[in-house]
Amino acid sequence: MSTMTSIWEKAKSLNKKIALPEGSEERTLQAALTVKEKKYAEPLLIGNEEKIKAAAKKINLDINGIKIIEPIKSEWFDSFTQNFYELRKNKGVTEESAKEMMMDELYFATMMVKEGKADGMVSGAIHSTGDLLRPALQIIKTAPGISIVSSCFIMVVPDSPFGENGLFVFADCAVNPEPDANDLASIALATAETARKLCGIEPRVAMLSFSTKGSGKHALVDKVIEATKIAKEKNPVLKIDGELQLDAAIVPKVAALKAPDSEVAGKANVLIFPDLQSGNIGYKLVQRLAKAETIGPVSQGFAAPVNDLSRGCSVEDIVNVIAITAVQGMK
């Protein structure tokens, strides 16, 4: 069973409600119908009801049976407005501005997740990453013990003996340019949780560097060592080690020479890169040269599931991200 097939099957068993604040966007409408038909989740289209129905009619799509929620007409509008005001009044939000913001589909959908009316949210087909992250960071915030939102990619390398039969989770490859030690520890903890939920594997986390166990001396190495220490303190049962070079992390023979006492070296299935440059380069190298199946980016670190789409995404991409978001909502 492929990784994505496994995610689809998990999503079917969960029956999660996923808010889609780009309700009148054509690809989103097509994806919502597919998700509904395949029972990956219950899609909730957020937006102006007339516009959503007109957009569906334009592309000959029958969306009867898919719930449409128009913020200003919703029974939750007043309570969401008040709760958002209480949440943000110390940041300069007034009651009037709170009402205006709740008319915005992204803010309203984010409040749905915060208030438990939806289990997750997917956006980004027509909004920027910043548009998505702003309300999510203001309202949902980060998970307990996590200081930063990050992203990961699930990489499935064909015919590979490394990782989890060729499966790896890479982070952070898309969000944080220069994480400090505390941020890097948070990225490691969040990625381990993603590996458990989405891939169904027991994470073995390698904190990557150009040094293995003191073979190199530099402030960049010190950051990785400190991050590993912080992550171990926050989750003492997690299998995590560093600093490790890539070959020491995944190749048993190299690990036996460079880190013989490590329970992770030579067996790592979660790879944490020290910065965005190395992470972004690393996943693209594996994707192109090893012809790996690449799933992501997957957002992680929020207190509830929120995922961003590329504005060039396909209908299939949206369907898959909705399924991923549903599985992230698994307790």
Side-chain angles (χ1 to χ4, degrees), residues 11-314:
K12 283 182 184 179
S13 71
L14 295 169
N15 195 33
K16 296 292 186 180
K17 296 178 180 179
I18 305 300
L20 305 174
E22 297 168 326
S24 58
E25 198 276 325
E26 290 183 3
R27 291 164 296 171
T28 301
L29 283 166
Q30 291 171 314
L33 186 59
T34 299
V35 165
K36 182 76 172 176
E37 289 173 345
K38 292 183 178 291
K39 300 181 179 179
Y40 295 157
E42 181 183 347
L44 306 173
L45 297 169
I46 315 304
N48 179 278
E49 187 171 359
E50 286 186 10
K51 286 183 179 179
I52 291 172
K53 288 181 176 179
K57 185 178 180 180
K58 181 182 175 183
I59 55 175
N60 297 315
L61 213 62
D62 182 1
I63 59 169
N64 286 329
I66 298 179
K67 192 169 186 180
I68 298 172
I69 300 172
E70 187 167 347
I72 193 66
K73 294 180 179 178
S74 169
E75 63 183 299
W76 306 319
F77 185 81
D78 290 341
S79 64
F80 281 10
T81 299
Q82 185 61 34
N83 290 349
F84 180 72
Y85 166 69
E86 294 295 336
L87 192 67
R88 301 293 295 173
K89 63 183 179 183
N90 293 335
K91 300 292 184 179
V93 172
T94 64
E95 290 183 330
E96 186 58 35
S97 63
K99 185 175 182 178
E100 288 177 8
M101 293 171 96
M102 279 308 105
M103 293 180 190
D104 182 293
E105 290 89 351
L106 275 169
Y107 273 86
F108 188 87
T110 307
M111 279 300 292
M112 286 179 64
V113 177
K114 172 71 173 178
E115 298 289 324
K117 306 301 183 184
D119 300 296
M121 179 177 78
V122 173
S123 181
I126 53 175
H127 288 90
S128 70
T129 298
D131 291 335
L132 174 78
L133 292 180
R134 197 172 302 111
L137 288 170
Q138 290 175 3
I139 296 168
I140 295 173
K141 304 183 181 180
T142 55
I146 303 295
S147 66
I148 196 169
V149 170
S150 59
S151 71
C152 70
F153 283 87
I154 299 168
M155 311 293 295
V156 185
V157 184
D159 304 317
S160 173
F162 304 124
E164 199 75 22
N165 298 315
L167 185 149
F168 293 91
V169 186
F170 287 12
D172 179 0
C173 306
V175 176
N176 299 289
E178 293 184 275
D180 61 22
N182 193 56
D183 293 338
L184 207 54
S186 283
I187 291 167
L189 295 172
T191 310
E193 184 66 12
T194 297
R196 278 197 192 93
K197 282 188 175 181
L198 294 186
C199 304
I201 61 174
E202 186 61 29
R204 298 183 295 275
V205 184
M207 305 293 281
L208 298 181
S209 174
F210 62 81
S211 168
T212 297
K213 299 298 182 180
S215 65
K217 304 293 183 185
H218 194 277
L220 293 175
V221 177
D222 294 339
K223 179 181 80 168
V224 177
I225 294 170
E226 179 63 18
T228 306
K229 179 183 174 184
I230 294 168
K232 285 181 176 178
E233 288 172 352
K234 288 187 174 182
N235 188 348
V237 301
L238 178 64
K239 291 180 180 177
I240 182 169
D241 202 6
E243 84 289 14
L244 295 171
Q245 290 163 290
L246 187 278
D247 55 355
I250 68 171
V251 183
K253 287 184 179 179
V254 177
L257 292 171
K258 293 186 174 183
D261 298 324
S262 173
E263 66 176 349
V264 169
K267 302 184 286 289
N269 52 24
V270 174
L271 303 181
I272 305 301
F273 293 84
D275 57 34
L276 184 57
Q277 287 198 98
S278 57
N280 192 270
I281 291 166
Y283 101 80
K284 287 181 178 178
L285 274 171
V286 174
Q287 180 185 33
R288 300 299 179 180
L289 299 186
K291 296 181 171 59
E293 177 190 0
T294 304
I295 300 168
V298 177
S299 299
Q300 55 185 20
F302 285 113
V306 173
N307 271 299
D308 187 26
L309 299 162
S310 161
R311 275 174 278 185
C313 62
S314 66

